[in-house]
Amino acid sequence: MDRVPLASLRGWDFDAADLNLRHESGRFFTVEGLHVRGAPGAVPEWSQPIINQAEIGVLGLLVRKREHGVECLVQAKMEPGNPNVLQISPTVQATRSNFTRVHRGKPTKYLDHFAHARGVLADVLQSEQGAWFLSKRNRNMIVLVDEEIPPAEDFHWIPLRELRALLHVDGMVNMDLRTVLACMPATVDHWDTAARTRGSELPAQEHPAGCHDNVADVLSWFTGLKSRCTMTVRSAPLLGLPEWTRGPDEIAHVEGRHFSIIGVSVRAGNREVAEWDQPLLRPVGRDVIAFLVSSSEHGRFDVLVRARTQVGLVDGVEMGPTVHWGPSHRSDDEPEVLDWVLRAPKERVLFDTVLAEEGGRFHHALNRYMIVDTRSDIPRHVPDDHRWVSLLQLEALVRHGYYLNIEARTLLACLHSVAGPRTRTPGQGAGQ
Amino acid sequence: MDRVPLASLRGWDFDAADLNLRHESGRFFTVEGLHVRGAPGAVPEWSQPIINQAEIGVLGLLVRKREHGVECLVQAKMEPGNPNVLQISPTVQATRSNFTRVHRGKPTKYLDHFAHARGVLADVLQSEQGAWFLSKRNRNMIVLVDEEIPPAEDFHWIPLRELRALLHVDGMVNMDLRTVLACMPATVDHWDTAARTRGSELPAQEHPAGCHDNVADVLSWFTGLKSRCTMTVRSAPLLGLPEWTRGPDEIAHVEGRHFSIIGVSVRAGNREVAEWDQPLLRPVGRDVIAFLVSSSEHGRFDVLVRARTQVGLVDGVEMGPTVHWGPSHRSDDEPEVLDWVLRAPKERVLFDTVLAEEGGRFHHALNRYMIVDTRSDIPRHVPDDHRWVSLLQLEALVRHGYYLNIEARTLLACLHSVAGPRTRTPGQGAGQ
């Protein structure tokens, strides 16, 4: 992959009318300008570039039952923006352009299993980075198959518990697989007859079967926050955004903050199309993204979520991490909470891994994901935009869209890797 | 209430820039133009006026437990567009303009019970008429109170079962109360110790406790439909919309179809402000809006929903009635199904009542709501945009937004009036 000036991107141009960056086919995505007003926090108003990819793609994972538990069909896949190029991806990662084959490439493998799905374990439209994508949503699907499916080249069946262990390896599991794993229903852990189940150790009122009642308070808290969101967003020409400048190679913030829009030329071995140019969003640095959790002796986990207002979210607000702080991110996080997370004693840090965001749209977007156990050191009373929710409440919410943002879903997938039966039955080889 | 020409509406004017109709304060709502493309059905493209009221209001119902069951605090309220002026309304029906008192009127009674809510039984953002409102959503709330609340003037505590019986009276229960009643959790019927419970008669797999599994297939069907929705909507100047003309008194369709935008001057006795002018949307006629249901001997109800693509819905698609047909409505409903509903033998018609839509925005918008029992006469195999769902699945879905449209929610409230314990325990005085 090589950097190329924005003006030299083959097939891409700034539209004469709205000055936004788009492909000559009118497909794929555009980079547009946005003006934001009424956001909460210290900076209520700003302008920024944003990626507009209105079409809904499929992120699909095939799973099968085996004696030792569930196995997932994953792919070793390259994306232009990934720092280590190859990452573990879900079975299918297809834009609508892939379905309709706008780019005249090869058909997407295994897509038929999701187009005519039986045995659906999860199927939900979920948002992606609300600071970088305008109204982007993808269809997250998990499908259980009965028949034998031999893995194609670059594909592998691997046990769910191994996949969860691999989440702890820097940059190994890609964002698309993480968001799909976050949607994995708790019931699949019961299929693992060799392990103790999560559900059986939980107090009755926290069992999934109680979902009809126990999310009511969380829903009410969140509905109230959404109904009070006053942020408005309107389009603005990409060229000429206040506080952003266009250099020969990129569109960047005048103070070098947040991110820039760059151009790249890509040559790929195993993709549907062998060579193409495209813009990428390049964040200026690494964020710290963390859940504070509170574990109990009974194996119960409570998570402190924070309602996050992000310009690209359809509802304006979704539940996000306790901490989301860094140079690429507009945030009014309390420095004390960040400090608390970064200085936590080692035995309380349940998860601490650098993971990459979507490599197809972002350039070297690496964030440090952490899960830190407060062991109830932090007061239960929290500001109104924070809320303690149980792991099982999160699992009930993630079945629907508009609740958990992409960063919270990555952390939820990671929490499964530390909160599942694996870590409580030592010797099964899938702990941290 | 008197009709006045659009040009004479006090405080309202056509914006010089975008030619849309708005209030001089910039608040309340605007009437805008819209151009639609890629809609499913016989007419994929058209232009139309639409009401844009971005702010989220509260539709709130206070309930209390009594020995004979649940009671609801309702208001006898007038709206300018209602044919019979007074209707039964929820405890609170407040726009954000009411909260912030933009119109400098009296404060809204009982609003505090919803601002600092305990005992929340339901709290969800729900859409309104997707053909007439752009992205409109209101916060539907039901709050259980412990303390004694004496009813103010025009307010009354009435038993839920009586309220449900009143749904069968033409034009009696207003739209805002119907959508809130649709969100009433099934558990409240268990509080009625004098009546048999609904839950106990249902097969185990259909009990609310099974919700974690039994909506999975419905969610997957619906997620698939949403992800394939290709409708796009863009703003267009209200004056000059193709196929719409502006006369002295109204903006109307050239063939007299769908609806018109008219102006009215209102004088009210019991409202926050005593006198005002406003535009109203006036549908040209009455729609037939129906659920086909299939009842079993065990008291179980299945409902045939149809995914409805409507221009004003945020996701483009929500689940709607089996039949929604009429002069005011763009529809590609099968004439056979309509015929089947209209010719159904009397004993199969469980509900047949003319009800008014939101009187604050629509002028004499009356629709005929029907529930017709197929008793399994209709094949279980249906077109892909139709789906048989159980009453309990609907109750699980209505806890979240973006699933059931306003017409389906009115029918769900009406279905509670025929499917609840009341009709199966004759002599309790709340049947049809």
Side-chain angles (χ1 to χ4, degrees):
Chain A
M1 187 185 73
D2 301 310
R3 288 276 301 263
V4 293
L6 288 176
S8 314
L9 284 177
R10 284 167 295 173
W12 293 81
D13 227 331
F14 290 94
D15 187 285
D18 60 18
L19 303 182
N20 291 329
L21 184 58
R22 67 183 74 230
H23 192 259
E24 59 189 8
S25 69
R27 307 298 282 266
F28 307 116
F29 62 93
T30 58
V31 184
E32 308 184 352
L34 211 64
H35 184 73
V36 185
R37 296 175 68 169
V43 183
E45 186 169 355
W46 69 85
S47 297
Q48 69 166 79
I50 200 158
I51 299 172
N52 186 349
Q53 183 172 2
E55 62 173 35
I56 294 171
V58 171
L59 309 178
L61 185 67
L62 290 184
V63 302
R64 66 182 184 187
K65 285 186 194 181
R66 282 295 180 266
E67 205 176 317
H68 56 275
V70 168
E71 291 185 347
C72 307
L73 185 61
V74 297
Q75 182 184 12
K77 181 158 178 154
M78 70 82 70
E79 291 289 358
N82 286 343
N84 47 353
V85 188
L86 276 175
Q87 290 188 319
I88 303 180
S89 316
T91 320
V92 161
Q93 192 173 304
T95 61
R96 190 183 285 158
S97 308
N98 286 137
F99 304 160
T100 54
R101 296 166 69 187
V102 180
H103 46 41
R104 301 185 194 82
K106 289 178 272 182
T108 303
K109 286 195 185 80
Y110 304 110
L111 192 55
D112 279 353
H113 290 277
F114 299 93
H116 314 284
R118 290 154 172 250
V120 174
L121 300 181
D123 190 353
V124 54
L125 298 183
Q126 295 285 11
S127 64
E128 301 206 346
Q129 280 76 6
W132 298 340
F133 273 126
L134 183 63
S135 308
K136 168 91 178 285
R137 294 198 298 164
N138 270 327
R139 185 177 181 189
N140 287 231
M141 294 185 78
I142 303 174
V143 171
L144 178 68
V145 290
D146 288 330
E147 71 267 35
E148 269 309 304
I149 297 188
E153 197 188 334
D154 299 326
F155 286 81
H156 304 274
W157 282 105
I158 71 171
L160 175 59
R161 73 174 59 158
E162 277 183 32
L163 199 49
R164 284 176 170 164
L166 289 171
L167 279 166
H168 294 254
V169 180
D170 283 351
M172 179 66 84
V173 175
N174 85 348
M175 184 192 91
D176 292 343
L177 182 50
R178 298 196 305 266
T179 174
V180 176
L181 285 176
C183 302
M184 188 73 73
T187 46
V188 303
D189 286 321
H190 298 263
W191 299 345
D192 185 347
T193 50
R196 289 150 71 200
T197 62
R198 259 190 286 177
S200 62
E201 296 189 14
L202 291 160
Q205 75 276 12
E206 286 301 322
H207 192 272
C211 66
H212 238 259
D213 292 314
N214 71 6
V215 294
D217 285 348
V218 177
L219 291 180
S220 181
W221 162 74
F222 196 52
T223 302
L225 285 177
K226 279 193 179 179
S227 68
R228 289 191 293 275
C229 175
T230 55
M231 183 178 65
T232 59
V233 168
R234 64 171 173 76
S235 300
L238 175 61
L239 298 180
L241 284 177
E243 303 199 348
W244 294 80
T245 56
R246 181 189 175 184
D249 287 346
E250 61 181 10
I251 295 170
H253 189 259
V254 287
E255 293 171 8
R257 298 174 64 191
H258 310 306
F259 58 81
S260 58
I261 303 294
I262 65 169
V264 295
S265 182
V266 187
R267 279 174 300 278
N270 66 348
R271 291 295 296 268
E272 293 83 356
V273 172
E275 195 178 343
W276 69 91
D277 286 4
Q278 69 168 87
L280 287 174
L281 185 153
R282 183 191 191 206
V284 297
R286 196 172 286 192
D287 291 351
V288 174
I289 298 175
F291 265 163
L292 286 192
V293 303
S294 171
S295 69
S296 79
E297 290 165 14
H298 309 292
R300 175 187 164 131
F301 277 86
D302 288 326
V303 177
L304 185 59
V305 297
R306 183 172 182 187
R308 298 273 166 187
T309 304
Q310 294 180 305
V311 296
L313 299 177
V314 172
D315 275 358
V317 187
E318 292 186 4
M319 297 181 214
T322 326
V323 168
H324 189 166
W325 183 91
S328 80
H329 185 74
R330 291 171 202 277
S331 166
D332 55 346
D333 279 334
E334 305 293 336
E336 307 93 82
V337 181
L338 177 70
D339 202 54
W340 202 97
V341 164
L342 295 180
R343 290 165 180 268
K346 204 173 176 184
E347 70 275 14
R348 294 198 178 187
V349 178
L350 306 182
F351 188 93
D352 186 0
T353 304
V354 174
L355 295 168
E357 310 302 336
E358 167 65 84
R361 297 294 173 265
F362 311 132
H363 183 267
H364 293 199
L366 294 170
N367 289 314
R368 182 178 177 190
Y369 285 92
M370 298 179 73
I371 299 174
V372 178
D373 194 347
T374 67
R375 297 195 194 155
S376 312
D377 268 7
I378 274 196
R380 304 295 291 187
H381 185 77
V382 292
D384 187 48
D385 61 347
H386 289 66
R387 182 95 185 181
W388 284 102
V389 296
S390 71
L391 176 55
L392 286 160
Q393 285 174 326
L394 287 179
E395 287 168 349
L397 292 171
V398 80
R399 306 185 74 207
H400 307 279
Y402 297 114
Y403 289 119
L404 300 186
N405 78 1
I406 181 80
E407 293 86 6
R409 296 201 311 280
T410 278
L411 286 169
L412 177 58
C414 300
L415 190 55
H416 283 143
S417 78
V418 299
R422 292 148 300 284
T423 54
R424 300 205 305 280
T425 49
Q428 299 203 2
Q432 185 167 3
Chain B
M1 187 186 73
D2 301 311
R3 289 277 301 261
V4 293
L6 288 176
S8 314
L9 285 177
R10 284 167 295 173
W12 293 81
D13 227 331
F14 291 95
D15 187 286
D18 60 18
L19 303 182
N20 291 329
L21 184 58
R22 66 183 75 229
H23 192 259
E24 60 189 7
S25 68
R27 308 297 282 265
F28 306 117
F29 61 93
T30 58
V31 184
E32 308 184 352
L34 211 63
H35 184 73
V36 185
R37 296 176 69 169
V43 183
E45 186 169 356
W46 69 85
S47 297
Q48 68 165 79
I50 199 157
I51 299 173
N52 186 349
Q53 182 172 3
E55 61 173 36
I56 294 171
V58 171
L59 310 178
L61 185 67
L62 291 184
V63 302
R64 66 182 185 188
K65 284 186 195 181
R66 282 295 180 266
E67 205 177 317
H68 56 275
V70 168
E71 292 185 347
C72 307
L73 185 61
V74 298
Q75 183 184 13
K77 180 156 178 156
M78 70 82 70
E79 291 289 358
N82 287 342
N84 47 353
V85 187
L86 275 175
Q87 290 188 319
I88 303 181
S89 316
T91 320
V92 160
Q93 192 173 305
T95 61
R96 190 183 285 158
S97 308
N98 288 136
F99 305 159
T100 54
R101 297 165 68 187
V102 180
H103 46 41
R104 300 184 194 83
K106 290 178 272 182
T108 303
K109 286 195 185 79
Y110 304 109
L111 192 55
D112 279 354
H113 289 278
F114 299 93
H116 314 285
R118 290 154 172 251
V120 174
L121 300 180
D123 191 352
V124 54
L125 298 183
Q126 295 285 11
S127 64
E128 301 205 346
Q129 279 77 5
W132 299 340
F133 273 126
L134 183 63
S135 308
K136 168 92 177 286
R137 293 197 300 163
N138 270 327
R139 185 177 180 188
N140 288 231
M141 293 185 80
I142 303 175
V143 171
L144 177 68
V145 290
D146 287 330
E147 70 267 35
E148 269 309 304
I149 297 187
E153 198 188 333
D154 299 326
F155 286 81
H156 304 274
W157 282 105
I158 71 172
L160 175 59
R161 73 173 61 158
E162 277 183 32
L163 199 50
R164 284 175 169 165
L166 289 171
L167 279 166
H168 293 254
V169 180
D170 283 350
M172 179 65 84
V173 175
N174 85 349
M175 184 192 91
D176 292 342
L177 182 50
R178 298 196 304 268
T179 173
V180 176
L181 285 176
C183 302
M184 189 73 73
T187 46
V188 303
D189 286 322
H190 297 265
W191 299 345
D192 185 348
T193 50
R196 288 149 72 199
T197 62
R198 259 190 286 176
S200 62
E201 296 189 14
L202 291 160
Q205 75 276 13
E206 286 301 322
H207 192 274
C211 66
H212 238 259
D213 292 314
N214 71 5
V215 294
D217 285 348
V218 177
L219 292 180
S220 181
W221 162 74
F222 195 52
T223 301
L225 285 177
K226 279 194 179 179
S227 68
R228 289 191 294 275
C229 175
T230 56
M231 182 178 66
T232 59
V233 168
R234 65 172 173 75
S235 299
L238 175 62
L239 299 179
L241 284 177
E243 304 199 348
W244 294 80
T245 56
R246 182 189 175 185
D249 287 345
E250 61 181 11
I251 295 170
H253 189 259
V254 287
E255 293 170 7
R257 298 174 64 191
H258 311 306
F259 58 81
S260 58
I261 303 294
I262 65 168
V264 295
S265 182
V266 187
R267 279 173 301 278
N270 66 348
R271 291 295 297 269
E272 292 84 356
V273 173
E275 195 178 342
W276 69 91
D277 286 3
Q278 70 168 86
L280 286 174
L281 185 153
R282 184 191 191 206
V284 297
R286 196 173 286 190
D287 291 351
V288 174
I289 299 175
F291 265 164
L292 286 192
V293 303
S294 171
S295 69
S296 79
E297 290 164 15
H298 309 291
R300 174 186 163 132
F301 277 86
D302 288 326
V303 177
L304 184 60
V305 297
R306 182 172 181 188
R308 298 274 166 187
T309 304
Q310 294 179 306
V311 296
L313 298 177
V314 173
D315 274 358
V317 187
E318 293 186 3
M319 297 180 214
T322 326
V323 169
H324 189 166
W325 183 92
S328 80
H329 185 74
R330 290 171 203 277
S331 168
D332 55 346
D333 280 334
E334 306 292 336
E336 307 94 81
V337 181
L338 177 69
D339 202 55
W340 201 97
V341 165
L342 296 179
R343 290 165 180 268
K346 204 173 176 184
E347 70 276 13
R348 294 198 178 186
V349 178
L350 305 182
F351 188 93
D352 186 0
T353 304
V354 174
L355 295 168
E357 309 302 336
E358 166 66 83
R361 297 294 172 265
F362 311 132
H363 183 268
H364 293 198
L366 294 170
N367 290 314
R368 182 179 177 190
Y369 284 92
M370 299 180 72
I371 299 174
V372 178
D373 194 346
T374 67
R375 297 194 194 156
S376 312
D377 268 7
I378 275 195
R380 305 295 292 187
H381 186 77
V382 292
D384 187 49
D385 61 347
H386 289 65
R387 181 95 186 182
W388 284 102
V389 296
S390 71
L391 176 55
L392 286 160
Q393 285 174 325
L394 287 179
E395 287 169 349
L397 292 171
V398 79
R399 307 186 75 207
H400 307 279
Y402 298 113
Y403 289 119
L404 300 186
N405 78 1
I406 181 79
E407 293 86 6
R409 296 200 312 279
T410 277
L411 286 169
L412 177 58
C414 299
L415 190 55
H416 283 142
S417 78
V418 299
R422 292 148 300 284
T423 53
R424 300 206 305 280
T425 49
Q428 298 202 2
Q432 185 167 2

